[in-house]
Amino acid sequence: MFESLLIANRGEIARRIIRTANRLGIRTIAVYSDVDAGLPFVKEADEAIAIGPAAARESYLSVGKILEAAQRSSASAIHPGYGFLSENAEFAEAVQNAGIIWVGAPPAAIRAMGLKDAAKELMQAAGVSVTPGYMGTDQSDERLSREAETIGYPLLIKAVAGGGGKGMRRVEAADEFRQSLQSCRREALASFGNDRVLLEKYIKNPRHIEVQVFADTQGNCVHLFERDCSLQRRHQKVIEEAPAPGMDADTRQAICQAAINAAKAVDYVGAGTIEFIADASEGLRPDRIWFMEMNTRLQVEHPVTEAITGEDLVQWQLLVAAGQSLPRVQEELAINGWAIEARLYAESPDAGYLPSTGHLQHLRLPSDIRVDSGVEQGDDITAFYDPMIAKIIAHAPDRPAALEELAKACAEIEIWPVKSNANLLFRIAGDEEFRAATVDTGFLERRGQHFLRRDPDQTVIDQALTSLVKISRLDPWAALSGFRIASEPDPRAAVRIAGQTHWGNIHSGAKASVVVFDDASVLFDRGTAWPISLPVAGLVKPGGPTDDGSVFSPMPGLVTIVDVAIGARVAMGDQLLTVEAMKMEYSLRAPFAGIVAELRVSPGSKVSENQLVATVVKEVS
Ligand code: ADP
Ligand code: ADP
Ligand code: MG
């Protein structure tokens, strides 16, 4: 084994590589950009070298700076991680030419698989079936339109140099084709410097199934079974699992063999992943799975494979790079249990998965489960790199148990003020359709509304209220007159949650995770972070207990509707009037059955928070 290893990457994967290197007694060298100087991977490496400004082009993507750092630190090997330079054949060559061991695929194999069209042609020649479509050199609009007609709609236009879900357009009908083609070419040129495209039939009920392969320099090649990465947003993976649900032994045998054939066709060495697309409209069948592309590197979701096989894939990479043979033969590898990984992203699922950046003032990740993360509380999520905060990896004897473990872990996540998809992950893990394992890549698009943020439920409201009363050392007994009336066991009062007023009950023993920051109090509930506060005037009593029918406006706003007149007879819960503010409407209701005795507003009235607007009195019979 070599003596030292430079990691040409950052964050989570850099830490992951350092962990294995430490165990093997290999000295580690981190390289980092200016904004990353304080991150854990920089501290955890034995040596760390600054390589420039935040922009990846001037740091993590700079071949010159990384080689210089390698020379300066006398690194014997370089691991590129994933993303950045990991699939850059020129970089791999430059590393080797500098006399440094390259922990990655041979440059020729990277090149062969680098462009999607050439890779598909090569695979076809090797007898691997590829996604039907057009991958010719004639790139004229006329030819592409004609080929599109032959393939039929819907279809996909893909940049041959594309990756990471970029440079892809789904076209529904012929009249959209030319416009999509132009925009795909523009994006491809801007992102990959190559505007060539290929066309692919859009597979029905598509499932993304991929096979982990490994080869050494002695000609051994094994697979480590499949992963299912069908749960995606914007063609990017969110949840991955191994094995694939519904995979029978014959189909598994067929695709794993196809993956080995693919790797052998390019004289592959190291860790690689063959991605297939499956038409799952009638379950998984060997004749309905097609080669999509090969990723000539370690994959983000490698932990699920590690979990079910019990192997350390980074260790395998280092062994192979050092010229040793694979630590296992095929017969020694078996699937043990079920593993599911969720990618915790700094993003807002409610806003179209808009990335969220900022300071991780508060970060609590689950503890009884494997978590691979690049950041800790106090670090920053910057806009320069991947928005991933962590990967949560559940492993259990079977799929239901793994899902349960994952749901429980995601429910524990606390992040503030950066937004995350933690609650979405929690809800997906418990979703009946996802549990039924009928997921294809359109799942989130179809069912996404199920996972969006809802209003806080009554438990959350009560917990928020109770916690705030405790935190602000308010005495609800004193603050809420009339509370002691026997018919009202808990005092009701108003609480503001995420900018809206809710009425809740103050309990004696609500247990919630509430953290008080300088500028906000936040209640964490199943992955959601709710900013909470008491109304400006402190505790506000609602419609009020039995003998007090005062009705207050919960927020400043405009009265839009008045449903009752003075003297009207109302039932408990009847709507009295509506207050609107910030595009949000709030109905004020009768606290009990009675007569409207007082009405202080009319439509158009401006009201302030806690202003008395109406009074209901009990009818004396
Ligand atoms: P990238 O290089 O960006 O990873 P891929 O070719 O691997 O691009 O495709 C990314 C994702 O797009 C797949 O995981 C799958 O969800 C979807 N996809 C790709 N090709 C097809 C297809 N022919 N039919 C349906 N979905 C597809
Ligand atoms: P997969 O490995 O399954 O193909 P992706 O397509 O998301 O998953 O993997 C490649 C992506 O990994 C890159 O496009 C980049 O956005 C992301 N990436 C690169 N470096 C890191 C890192 N250190 N930590 C997390 N993600 C990273
Ligand atoms: Mg892909």
Side-chain angles (χ1 to χ4, degrees):
M1 185 52 68
F2 40 80
E3 184 270 326
S4 60
L5 177 66
L6 181 140
I7 299 149
N9 213 300
R10 62 182 296 281
E12 166 268 320
I13 184 58
R15 287 181 100 182
R16 165 72 194 85
I17 295 164
I18 291 171
R19 274 209 305 277
T20 293
N22 281 347
R23 202 161 46 70
L24 301 179
I26 300 169
R27 180 168 68 90
T28 55
I29 302 126
V31 294
Y32 62 95
S33 74
D34 295 346
V35 284
D36 283 349
L39 288 188
F41 80 93
V42 176
K43 293 172 219 153
E44 289 166 12
D46 296 312
E47 189 180 341
I49 299 176
I51 51 166
R57 215 174 280 280
E58 296 171 63
S59 48
Y60 300 108
L61 283 172
S62 165
V63 172
K65 285 181 178 163
I66 289 171
L67 285 180
E68 200 188 301
Q71 247 117 30
R72 189 137 66 89
S73 57
S74 316
S76 17
I78 293 184
H79 193 310
Y82 30 65
F84 298 129
L85 294 169
S86 62
E87 293 181 275
N88 183 315
E90 287 71 46
F91 177 59
E93 254 162 13
V95 170
Q96 291 176 335
N97 290 341
I100 300 168
I101 294 169
W102 166 245
V103 188
I110 297 178
R111 277 204 183 94
M113 291 296 186
L115 296 177
K116 291 182 199 286
D117 54 347
K120 283 176 75 177
E121 242 154 76
L122 201 111
M123 287 302 104
Q124 216 164 13
V128 175
S129 54
V130 305
T131 320
Y134 172 74
M135 44 198 181
T137 47
D138 185 348
Q139 292 278 308
S140 65
D141 288 13
E142 296 68 38
R143 177 66 185 273
L144 289 167
S145 307
R146 250 198 343 272
E147 294 289 346
E149 288 305 316
T150 315
I151 295 164
Y153 294 91
L155 58 77
L156 274 180
I157 308 176
K158 283 186 187 178
V160 301
K166 265 208 216 140
M168 218 182 307
R169 292 289 181 284
R170 185 184 145 137
V171 191
E172 301 299 330
D175 60 351
E176 300 168 12
F177 182 80
R178 295 239 173 171
Q179 204 189 341
S180 299
L181 177 62
Q182 301 316 334
S183 82
C184 185
R185 279 178 173 151
R186 267 198 309 274
E187 183 174 309
L189 194 63
S191 308
F192 311 107
N194 178 341
D195 68 357
R196 258 200 8 248
V197 300
L198 60 79
L199 307 180
E200 263 179 24
K201 180 177 149 69
Y202 190 82
I203 304 300
K204 268 192 300 180
N205 293 99
R207 271 176 65 182
H208 175 117
I209 310 268
E210 57 182 39
V211 176
Q212 176 73 57
V213 294
F214 241 102
D216 62 22
T217 48
Q218 281 98 68
N220 303 303
C221 182
V222 301
H223 68 79
L224 290 98
F225 310 101
E226 80 281 0
R227 294 183 286 256
D228 186 324
C229 315
S230 301
L231 203 134
Q232 308 181 343
R233 56 119 178 75
R234 288 207 222 106
H235 303 297
Q236 286 170 340
K237 301 159 185 171
V238 179
I239 292 189
E240 303 107 337
E241 56 187 301
M247 177 71 71
D248 63 62
D250 286 349
T251 309
R252 173 172 295 132
Q253 173 60 30
I255 63 160
C256 291
Q257 192 53 52
I260 287 184
N261 294 348
K264 285 188 168 161
V266 289
D267 296 320
Y268 202 72
V269 175
T273 292
I274 320 288
E275 296 190 333
F276 297 90
I277 190 97
D279 172 348
S281 50
E282 292 170 40
L284 293 177
R285 291 170 32 175
D287 59 340
R288 297 251 181 113
I289 301 189
W290 300 274
F291 171 88
M292 195 160 54
E293 65 162 347
M294 178 169 187
N295 292 329
T296 51
R297 54 172 166 86
L298 191 70
Q299 207 90 348
V300 173
E301 57 275 21
H302 73 277
V304 292
T305 300
E306 296 189 319
I308 61 157
T309 59
E311 302 295 330
D312 177 337
L313 298 193
V314 173
Q315 179 174 351
W316 281 44
Q317 286 189 294
L318 299 178
L319 293 175
V320 167
Q324 300 184 28
S325 54
L326 293 177
R328 300 254 187 261
V329 295
Q330 191 69 61
E331 293 68 36
E332 291 174 310
L333 293 162
I335 298 177
N336 167 27
W338 208 284
I340 309 189
E341 171 183 289
R343 298 193 192 187
L344 178 64
Y345 284 120
E347 67 184 17
S348 175
D350 307 301
Y353 306 103
L354 199 70
S356 172
T357 56
H359 187 61
L360 292 165
Q361 202 176 340
H362 181 80
L363 175 67
R364 186 162 300 167
L365 296 173
S367 45
D368 299 333
I369 194 168
R370 173 168 173 186
V371 174
D372 286 14
S373 173
V375 287
E376 283 168 354
Q377 181 165 299
D379 294 332
D380 291 296
I381 298 287
T382 78
F384 293 103
Y385 316 113
D386 200 88
M388 200 162 74
I389 299 170
K391 306 186 293 199
I392 319 294
I393 305 111
H395 182 214
D398 55 31
R399 190 170 189 270
L403 279 171
E404 202 164 303
E405 197 178 286
L406 183 67
K408 189 176 153 284
C410 291
E412 287 173 27
I413 294 170
E414 300 182 358
I415 304 175
W416 180 261
V418 174
K419 298 200 173 62
S420 86
N421 63 343
N423 179 257
L424 174 100
L425 297 174
F426 164 75
R427 295 222 224 136
I428 294 174
D431 181 66
E432 51 187 275
E433 204 178 297
F434 188 60
R435 277 174 182 257
T438 50
V439 167
D440 61 45
T441 61
F443 177 80
L444 270 186
E445 221 173 286
R446 247 189 351 259
R447 207 168 160 73
Q449 298 87 307
H450 280 271
F451 310 120
L452 297 187
R453 186 155 110 166
R454 293 169 211 163
D455 285 339
D457 57 31
Q458 198 59 49
T459 318
V460 168
I461 296 169
D462 292 350
Q463 287 182 339
L465 182 59
T466 307
S467 306
L468 287 172
V469 165
K470 268 190 204 146
I471 290 162
S472 44
R473 297 213 176 84
L474 280 173
D475 179 358
W477 278 254
L480 286 179
S481 67
F483 155 71
R484 282 168 213 269
I485 306 293
S487 60
E488 198 76 14
D490 295 319
R492 273 170 68 73
V495 60
R496 308 268 298 163
I497 304 183
Q500 299 190 13
T501 300
H502 299 267
W503 296 105
N505 292 304
I506 300 168
H507 294 306
S508 44
K511 244 192 273 150
S513 177
V514 173
V515 181
V516 181
F517 303 102
D518 285 345
D519 52 350
S521 296
V522 180
L523 184 148
F524 295 101
D525 175 60
R526 290 161 288 179
T528 301
W530 297 106
I532 60 174
S533 62
L534 289 174
V536 186
L539 284 177
V540 176
K541 53 190 170 174
T546 42
D547 63 343
D548 183 357
S550 312
V551 178
F552 298 90
S553 172
M555 59 186 185
L558 204 65
V559 173
T560 51
I561 306 168
V562 176
D563 299 274
V564 292
I566 289 185
R569 181 170 286 132
V570 289
M572 178 175 155
D574 274 2
Q575 185 165 306
L576 305 177
L577 52 100
T578 303
V579 178
E580 189 202 77
M582 315 264 295
K583 292 191 193 135
M584 184 228 144
E585 288 200 331
Y586 197 92
S587 304
L588 298 183
R589 298 174 183 282
F592 44 74
I595 302 282
V596 178
E598 194 182 10
L599 196 57
R600 297 195 173 190
V601 294
S602 53
S605 302
K606 270 196 186 143
V607 289
S608 53
E609 187 162 355
N610 305 335
Q611 182 181 325
L612 178 72
V613 291
T615 310
V616 176
V617 294
K618 284 210 161 167
E619 252 179 297
V620 187
S621 50

